[in-house]
Amino acid sequence: MTSPSTEYALSLLASLADAGVRDVVLSPGSRSQALALAAAEFEIAGRLSVHVRIDERSGGFLALGLAAETGVPSVVITTSGTAVANLHPAVLEAHHSGVPMIVVSADRPSEMRGIGSNQTTVQPGLFASAVGWVRDVEAPRSGPVDHEAVRTLAREAVAEALGGDSHGALGRSRGPVQLNVAFREPLSSGEQSLPAAHPAPVEVAPLVAPSALEVDVDPATLVVAGHAAGPEAEAAARALGAPLVAEVSSGARFGPHLVSSYRALLDDADFGGRVRRVVVFGHPTLSRQIPSLLTRGGVEVVVVRAAGAEAYDPGRSARVVEAVEVDRASSGVGSTDDAAHRTWVGLWVHTGRRLLEAEAESEDAADGPGADGTAEGSAGRTEAAEQAEFLRREVQLLRRPVTRRALAEALWRVSWPHDRLVLGASRLIRELDQIVPGKKIPVHANRGLAGIDGTIATATGIALASQRDDPAAGTTRVLVGDLTLLHDVGSMLLGLGETRPRLQVVVGNDGGGTIFDGLEVAATASPEAMTRVQFTPHEVDLSALAVAYGWQYVEAATRAELDQALVARYDGPVLIEVPLSR
Ligand SMILES: Cc1ncc(C[n+]2csc(CCOP(=O)(O)OP(=O)(O)O)c2C)c(N)n1
Ligand SMILES: [Mg+2]
């Protein structure tokens, strides 16, 4: 005889799989045993991928990474009590970045709540406003399961996570939902008979009419692509005849309108100062120049609503629209191919490029050859001597320690559209944002709340999903600072039987959080105090951590070693440590 708990769990997982769910992340626990054991059976039957993690915080971010890559809601199953609360960071990030996720939290039945029962708290609504849809399901009783009711509930959960209602209309942003399910003893039974599959994936189609954007007669429009803006931003910049400022994780960092060194240009009166209209896609978070431009007087701001829960509107005065369509006719400007628009875009693009080149040259000069007298002019030399000199310099360069800039450049150089790049919060993502040229690399970053938590788990989810779904998928590389790695080091734990992703964790180790060295207060505060409470120094042996978790480990102290480490073939995940100076 199967228990009502197991019958219900089988029905629920079958319904979620039918509705389109593909990934289930779970952690061990007693109250959730029926769901976990059922999930294992669905995996054997090839109807769900199951990922097991001991730590729910890792599990939550793993689910976030899986959903970020697939666009399909992932399910994360927990037992009762603090286990549920450990999902909170991932749930918040999912809410703010618009990633669909279904939390299925197992709970005590109503008669056991509110009386001090073991491992029992108030679970429905635990995530407060970060979760828009919560259902508290009464513990299943004996008798046949109402499959139709379960199916409706599962479809509603999937639709809500995708930002729609059960009729498929897009109502709000994508994000996390919570299905709290009570279970009574017996909590499961060993016997499992899986309901037949009736796949009918829930689809949510946006029903919005795009708002028209006129091309300006005197060009003064700028397109900003923040995190996850997507290729629409690039297309809009071209259609509008506008320069494109695209953050590194925008998914729009390419094309002929892309502007380099945008921070300096936005600060300049002849560039940023001449902007009269900004069209924002995605969620910009990486510079102070963008919010400052959007809050300046005399600048019209159009924000195309991004995936996250809140529209980006630092000046609280933007026209927020769901989608845009460029309207050439009504502005009277037949084409953006006129001299005025070409000049406007060309100035931004060329000046930005020149600024970037000049910066690169000055960095090369700062740490380049010269100390040993090799930087003198080459007048009067033979071609062969010059060539030899050039090679000698190149070799010397390769032997140099890695700078943040060199690290960012190397990572960008080795990555291609079939790879995935994940960027942790802190200095290194900003380094990439400042210097890397346009290239269609899929870049992910948890920019909803820009936490340093969960980055390894998120990247693992992206690696696992991309490598499962795309036979041509390359390597997932995640670039993190040392504190970001240490914060989520538990996510390096891959239990026996878990798929080992093709994942490179590249850690720029400067012994603490050097981002805080750039705080204004660092100039006047006590250096000891700054070090102790902000930099938070450590001397963790990262190679020993890799050994402990059964990962491969490579130290890349020079540029040559780094290039080699990034393109080498590994069997499973690898930790690449790059020492950086504070
Ligand atoms: C969960 C969380 N806690 C704290 C912070 C604040 N924070 C931002 S960056 C940072 C330090 C990052 O250090 P590291 O990863 O070593 O990068 P570095 O700045 O040294 O390159 C901290 C603690 C945060 N963003 N998220
Ligand atoms: Mg650091």
Side-chain angles (χ1 to χ4, degrees), residues 404 426-428 480-484 508-515 535 538 580:
R404 287 182 185 77
S426 203
R427 278 183 82 177
L428 291 164
V480 287
D482 45 311
L483 295 191
T484 304
N509 188 359
D510 47 24
T514 52
I515 195 163
F535 179 68
H538 68 89
L580 295 174

Side-chain angles (χ1 to χ4, degrees), residues 498-511:
E498 295 308 305
T499 309
R500 297 176 74 77
R502 206 152 57 238
L503 176 66
Q504 296 181 1
V505 173
V506 183
V507 52
N509 188 359
D510 47 24

Side-chain angles (χ1 to χ4, degrees), residues 45-317:
R47 287 163 65 180
L48 287 170
S49 296
V50 174
H51 315 267
V52 182
R53 293 298 182 271
I54 292 174
D55 178 344
E56 289 81 6
R57 190 169 68 156
S58 292
F61 278 105
L62 177 66
L64 178 91
L66 290 161
E69 174 65 28
T70 60
V72 173
S74 52
V75 165
V76 52
I77 295 172
T78 73
T79 191
S80 65
T82 56
V84 192
N86 272 288
L87 300 179
H88 212 148
V91 164
L92 278 171
E93 174 60 30
H95 174 68
H96 285 276
S97 56
V99 175
M101 233 166 99
I102 301 171
V103 173
V104 181
S105 44
D107 201 349
R108 296 280 189 291
S110 47
E111 67 271 17
M112 293 176 74
R113 297 187 193 172
I115 54 167
S117 301
N118 182 38
Q119 217 176 308
T120 307
T121 183
V122 182
Q123 292 181 185
L126 182 81
F127 304 112
S129 58
V131 165
W133 181 92
V134 182
R135 290 291 178 274
D136 189 15
V137 179
E138 241 315 303
R141 296 180 181 277
S142 52
V145 178
D146 182 349
H147 287 296
E148 231 10 80
V150 177
R151 201 174 161 80
T152 304
L153 183 72
R155 295 186 71 74
E156 207 183 320
V158 171
E160 292 281 342
L162 288 171
D165 56 24
S166 46
H167 309 295
L170 186 75
R172 68 193 72 71
S173 57
R174 300 169 150 228
V177 300
Q178 185 189 10
L179 197 51
N180 192 64
V181 187
F183 289 106
R184 214 172 260 128
E185 310 272 351
L187 293 173
S188 72
S189 53
E191 202 181 300
Q192 313 256 343
S193 77
L194 274 55
H198 298 288
V202 171
E203 276 167 28
V204 171
L207 295 175
V208 292
S211 305
L213 275 186
E214 292 184 7
V215 172
D216 31 26
V217 179
D218 294 322
T221 295
L222 179 76
V223 171
V224 168
H227 173 68
E232 305 89 270
E234 195 273 337
R238 273 186 291 117
L240 286 165
L244 169 67
V245 163
E247 290 187 347
V248 66
S249 67
S250 63
R253 197 168 173 114
F254 58 90
H257 289 226
L258 182 70
V259 174
S260 314
S261 292
Y262 67 82
R263 289 169 175 76
L265 291 180
L266 291 177
D267 279 336
D268 191 292
D270 284 333
F271 289 87
R274 286 172 54 193
V275 172
R276 293 285 165 266
R277 180 174 62 164
V278 186
V279 184
V280 183
F281 293 81
H283 182 202
T285 61
L286 294 177
S287 73
R288 59 170 179 76
Q289 282 80 1
I290 289 169
S292 134
L293 173 65
L294 300 188
T295 46
R296 197 180 75 200
V299 175
E300 181 198 346
V301 180
V302 180
V303 169
V304 183
R305 194 184 287 282
E310 292 168 15
Y312 183 71
D313 182 13
R316 297 182 182 276
S317 58

